Structures are given as C-alpha cells and as structure tokens.
Amino acid sequence: MHTDTDALILIDIQNDFCPGGALAVKDGDAVVGPANDLAAHFNTVILTQDWHPAGHRSFASAHPGHRPYDMVQMPYGPQMLWPDHCVQGSAGAAFHPGLAPAVEKAQLVVRKGFRPHIDSYSAFFENDRVTPTGLAGALRERGIHRIYLAGLATDYCVAYSATDAARLGFEALIVEDACRAIDLHGSLTAARRDWMAAGVRSVSVADILALG
Ligand code: VGL
Ligand code: ZN
C-alpha cells in the first residue's frame, strides 16, 4: 500500500481529451479504468482540470489567419495553438463520466489555464514556467515526497507536470500505461527525453497494484 508521503495526480481526464471531444487524444478514454484502479490504491488523490475562459489565447480561433496546431510566439515563448477546448463550465471541460470513483475520492482539484493570456500545461506552473499554481505548496504542506502521474496527454500536460515535479525536488513517476499521447511531430519522443533528463521514472499500473 502506498504511504502518506505518496500522491497520485490524475491529469486532465476530461471529455474534450477523449474520443468525440474537441481535442481528442487517441484512445484517451482508455485511461479511465486504470485511473480509477490507481485512485483506489492511494490515500492522496489529486485531479487537474484544464479550465480555459472562452477566447483563450491558446485557441487558434483567437489568432486570425492561424489554424490549430500552428506554432506562434507568445510573450512568454513559443506556443502551439489548439482547437477551442475545455471551456469553463462546458460539457467538454467536465471529467469523463467514468472517472466518477476517482473524482469522488479526490481531495483536491487543481484548475489550470484560467488566465486568458497564458496557457498552462503543467500542474505546477503556467507556460511562462514561473507563475505557480500553488500545487507544490499544497503537496509540501501535506508532507508528500513522491508523486505518481497518469492521464492526458502524456506528451503535454503529464510530461510537463512530471518534469516540473522532479525539478521541484519531488520524486516523480509516470504511470505510462495509464496515459495516452497526442504525439504530434515527434512530441512524445521529445517529451520522454526531457522527463528522463529531469530524473522522472516510468512505471506500469501493474507495478503499482502489485505493491498491494
Ligand atoms: C493539454 C493541450 C492543451 C493536455 C491541455 O492536457 O495535455 N494539451 N491543453
Ligand atoms: Zn488546454
């Protein structure tokens, strides 16, 4: 069994990232069952929820002449443009209905991407890499040292969150078979390289459930 110094963070398991959603990740809904299984094994369960105001600057629709998946320069650096997704209060922004057991268990929901002019992939920092969400403080105050991450998408929000967690001094592990990737232009390979360089490890759902 996991201890009180471990936390499970389930990243963005929302309708818009699942098949039929606005920014659907291939097989995104395949993470729902494993996420619930994992949640049952942790005392501390935290969810993140991508939560954008309408007209958010990460939406291609806010950049005339641009299309989804174009790269643009934002004041804080390069930013990929996305289809409109996870608009606050919309059905697409809701957690996948199958995630109900994990949602019920979760003690904290971290919403991110709510500032109109800046995107937020990581559960810890906005995409400027300096504006904190407050999650690191919440984890430290609870005495958490080790973080397991699962959810959507492997190569964006999961990878950024895990890499930041490691940089912040937490032990970070990605439960890779409980994640699915967008994998555009080699983004999954690049993300894996970055998280490994930061000291993040990969584990499987079976590794964790076998711990009892
Ligand atoms: C995500 C792109 C835009 C994610 C969120 O959850 O990985 N990706 N917003
Ligand atoms: Zn988003």
Side-chain angles (χ1 to χ4, degrees), residues 181-201:
I182 295 173
D183 201 10
L184 209 65
H185 312 308
S187 55
L188 181 58
T189 305
R192 193 176 277 119
R193 186 190 57 221
D194 291 347
W195 86 55
M196 286 179 70
V200 175
R201 286 188 289 144

Side-chain angles (χ1 to χ4, degrees), residues 119-145:
D119 206 3
S120 186
Y121 295 151
S122 169
F124 294 95
F125 294 104
E126 310 278 340
N127 281 10
D128 63 3
R129 319 306 291 145
V130 293
T131 306
T133 63
L135 177 59
L139 291 169
R140 286 185 185 129
E141 288 204 44
R142 286 161 203 235
I144 302 295
H145 297 296

Side-chain angles (χ1 to χ4, degrees), residues 16 21-25 58-60 66-72 79-85 156 182 184-185:
D16 269 343
L23 180 35
V25 178
S58 75
F59 297 171
H66 281 285
R67 290 188 308 193
Y69 313 108
D70 284 353
M71 292 295 296
V72 295
Q79 168 74 46
M80 181 166 282
L81 298 179
W82 304 104
D84 291 23
H85 66 280
Y156 286 94
I182 295 173
L184 209 65
H185 312 308

Side-chain angles (χ1 to χ4, degrees), residues 79-169:
Q79 168 74 46
M80 181 166 282
L81 298 179
W82 304 104
D84 291 23
H85 66 280
C86 296
V87 173
Q88 296 173 357
S90 67
F95 291 115
H96 186 286
L99 194 68
V103 174
E104 193 178 310
K105 176 142 183 190
Q107 295 98 354
L108 178 66
V109 178
V110 178
R111 287 178 167 166
K112 60 185 183 60
F114 51 79
R115 291 182 177 84
H117 296 285
I118 181 165
D119 206 3
S120 186
Y121 295 151
S122 169
F124 294 95
F125 294 104
E126 310 278 340
N127 281 10
D128 63 3
R129 319 306 291 145
V130 293
T131 306
T133 63
L135 177 59
L139 291 169
R140 286 185 185 129
E141 288 204 44
R142 286 161 203 235
I144 302 295
H145 297 296
R146 184 162 52 194
I147 298 167
Y148 292 79
L149 300 106
L152 305 170
T154 323
D155 41 348
Y156 286 94
C157 292
V158 176
Y160 275 66
S161 299
T163 304
D164 281 345
R167 287 200 189 114
L168 288 164

